[in-house]
Amino acid sequence: MQMFPMFSLPSRAQRALAAAGAALALAGCASTPPSANAPTGAVLQTAATHAYHGRFAVRYDDRLGNPQNVYGNFDWQEHGDDVSLELRSPLGQTLAVVKSTPRAASLELPNRPTQYAPDVGDLMQKTLGFELPLAGLRYWLLPTAAPATPAETVRDPADGTRIKQLRQDGWTIDYLAYADAPATGVKRVNLVRATPPLDIKLVLDQ
């Protein structure tokens, strides 16, 4: 099964990420950690309650309305309410590291100072040009609806124990494949938001 074609991350995408990071710094984002007690990546990796590894493809419109595509690999580490997400190019270079806690969010770009903000969504939008729904993904990858807001759930008619689609918080989440036994969990999931347009495809490695 192939979800993504063979590719190498376009150099313009890497330049765009770096340029966005520079623009965010020039715009005056704080570069001082909000708390010395914020958890480190090492803590997240060793005490994670959920960990996902796989591939991603993101399609979005930039500020000028031009379609953009970013592809690569990801590592997700989660412990309680703390999430660490690393995005890498298909060749393994780190594109960005996002960390979210109830207290603050941070984003690291190669060769740039770490940026901090209260909200992870705003931080990603301003820096990367797109916003990954980390708060929802924590539940959608289980898969289940997030508990704080209303959701519509469609069960798989061929297997009532599995969710086929979720609609929540402006997102439509389609579960395209589940892992083959004895493995469990989601294998392929697509997430689409209409406004502003954002299309995310994930393949989770078991």
Side-chain angles (χ1 to χ4, degrees):
M1 175 185 66
Q2 273 195 347
M3 176 179 177
F4 303 126
M6 295 299 293
F7 56 79
S8 61
L9 185 73
S11 59
R12 67 176 181 273
Q14 297 189 43
R15 290 197 298 269
L17 290 175
L24 181 60
L26 291 174
C29 251
S31 58
T32 301
S35 170
N37 296 322
T40 65
V43 172
L44 289 171
Q45 292 174 6
T46 56
T49 54
H50 296 289
Y52 305 102
H53 312 278
R55 290 161 285 157
F56 73 92
V58 177
R59 184 175 63 206
Y60 66 100
D61 291 345
D62 63 18
R63 294 178 181 177
L64 299 178
N66 300 315
Q68 302 291 334
N69 294 277
V70 180
Y71 306 92
N73 305 307
F74 71 90
D75 280 299
W76 171 294
Q77 302 286 343
E78 179 184 339
H79 180 226
D81 292 328
D82 300 340
V83 173
S84 175
L85 173 64
E86 181 179 359
L87 304 178
R88 299 190 306 276
S89 77
L91 299 179
Q93 297 95 338
T94 296
L95 300 176
V97 178
V98 181
K99 295 181 181 180
S100 174
T101 77
R103 297 176 296 280
S106 68
L107 188 145
E108 303 169 25
L109 297 173
N111 305 314
R112 300 288 179 182
T114 300
Q115 306 299 325
Y116 297 89
D119 181 78
V120 66
D122 289 344
L123 187 57
M124 295 185 74
Q125 184 67 46
K126 292 176 182 176
T127 309
L128 301 180
F130 59 88
E131 171 192 348
L132 298 181
L134 265 62
L137 273 171
R138 296 181 57 223
Y139 298 95
W140 299 338
L141 291 177
L142 291 178
T144 187
T149 57
E152 297 179 43
T153 301
V154 178
R155 294 283 174 179
D156 188 340
D159 185 347
T161 66
R162 291 180 172 179
I163 296 176
K164 183 178 179 63
Q165 186 182 81
L166 267 174
R167 291 186 292 272
Q168 188 171 30
D169 297 333
W171 288 90
T172 299
I173 304 100
D174 289 304
Y175 297 96
L176 304 183
Y178 285 81
D180 295 327
T184 60
V186 174
K187 180 67 175 179
R188 295 176 58 197
V189 56
N190 288 1
L191 304 95
V192 177
R193 183 185 66 193
T195 307
L198 184 58
D199 189 314
I200 303 168
K201 293 178 171 62
L202 301 176
V203 173
L204 280 67
D205 297 328
Q206 301 298 320

